[in-house]
Amino acid sequence: MKRIFFAVMHCTPKQFGKLFQLLNKVIGKLTANSNIYGNPDPSLGVLQNEVVPFEKAIADAKKGGSEATEARNKEALKVHGLLKEELTYVNKVAKNDKDTILLSGFDASEEPEPAEVPDAPVIKKIDDGDSPGTAKIFLAKTTSPLLTKKQKLTFIIEMTTTVSDESSFKTVLLTHNSKKLIVPNLVRGQEVFIRISVMNARGQSNWSTVVSFISRTGVNPPSPSPNPNPLPPAV
């Protein structure tokens, strides 16, 4: 069977030193190879903004203290999430070419070549998640054939509050686990519109049908600001 290549991270959010090294390596490689990776997503500026805070958080945590440890863990999760998003961009640009992947700073891992691009997943329902302010997506059984084959899949969840504006959809989750399709940071009572796509080594599926959802457990919406220039009372 033909072998193809995928960009991979080979580190978890708990491997702080390794994750910090990867962050710097990816920044350096993407910068040096801007002729290939012309529009990193997330941008180089976004990645660079995390270098100093992450380095400081790691150093502070070594001194001890629960608050410092929590801050380091939170920053590590943020950096790990940004690099996962960058993986998707690199895989789209590299098109499974090993040498091109290595120019991004990520490692290249061999994968069996799938037969075809997966079909669009089908959202069965969306419920409030176990944690406040989250929603969990359940896929319909018609999606199951693409989940039973032994292949590396990346699920991409996008969300917007303005369904009529295609450009307003933003990625809120990238995951390889079809059982943990969790949408974070929802506002209580606010209607959002969610869609999902899945990518394998052949390419990315079409987007699912957009499904609306209103959180019952999210944070309260911000209170309206008082009018700084109230009208004078009518005479």
Side-chain angles (χ1 to χ4, degrees), residues 98-123:
K98 181 178 181 180
D99 291 337
T100 305
I101 290 171
L102 294 177
L103 291 175
S104 72
F106 290 108
D107 292 331
S109 178
E110 287 186 322
E111 297 287 344
E113 183 178 35
E116 57 189 14
V117 175
D119 293 330
V122 178
I123 298 176

Side-chain angles (χ1 to χ4, degrees), residues 43-175:
S43 69
L44 283 171
V46 170
L47 295 181
Q48 290 166 339
N49 285 342
E50 299 304 320
V51 173
V52 173
F54 192 21
E55 184 176 32
K56 183 177 185 301
I58 293 173
D60 289 346
K62 289 181 179 179
K63 300 174 184 177
S66 59
E67 290 186 4
T69 299
E70 183 179 351
R72 178 203 59 192
N73 295 347
K74 184 177 181 180
E75 183 65 24
L77 284 172
K78 183 178 181 180
V79 169
H80 191 269
L82 289 172
L83 289 175
K84 282 181 68 176
E85 291 183 51
E86 205 70 69
L87 274 180
T88 299
Y89 165 75
V90 167
N91 280 318
K92 287 180 180 178
V93 173
K95 300 184 185 301
N96 310 120
D97 179 73
K98 181 178 181 180
D99 291 337
T100 305
I101 290 171
L102 294 177
L103 291 175
S104 72
F106 290 108
D107 292 331
S109 178
E110 287 186 322
E111 297 287 344
E113 183 178 35
E116 57 189 14
V117 175
D119 293 330
V122 178
I123 298 176
K124 178 181 179 181
K125 65 176 181 177
I126 304 177
D127 284 342
D128 284 301
D130 294 333
S131 301
T134 64
K136 185 173 183 179
I137 298 174
F138 295 86
L139 299 180
K141 289 183 178 180
T142 51
T143 306
S144 61
L146 70 87
L147 303 180
T148 56
K149 297 178 181 178
K150 293 183 178 179
Q151 57 176 304
K152 189 179 183 70
L153 296 170
T154 300
F155 293 87
I156 308 163
I157 298 177
E158 290 192 344
M159 184 179 75
T160 183
T161 56
T162 312
V163 69
S164 59
D165 182 3
E166 175 70 19
S167 65
S168 69
F169 277 94
K170 302 298 181 185
T171 300
V172 294
L173 179 71
L174 292 169
T175 181

Side-chain angles (χ1 to χ4, degrees), residues 22-33 44 48 103-104:
L22 179 61
L23 174 63
N24 282 283
K25 183 180 179 182
V26 169
I27 290 172
K29 286 285 190 177
L30 291 179
T31 300
N33 296 291
L44 283 171
Q48 290 166 339
L103 291 175
S104 72

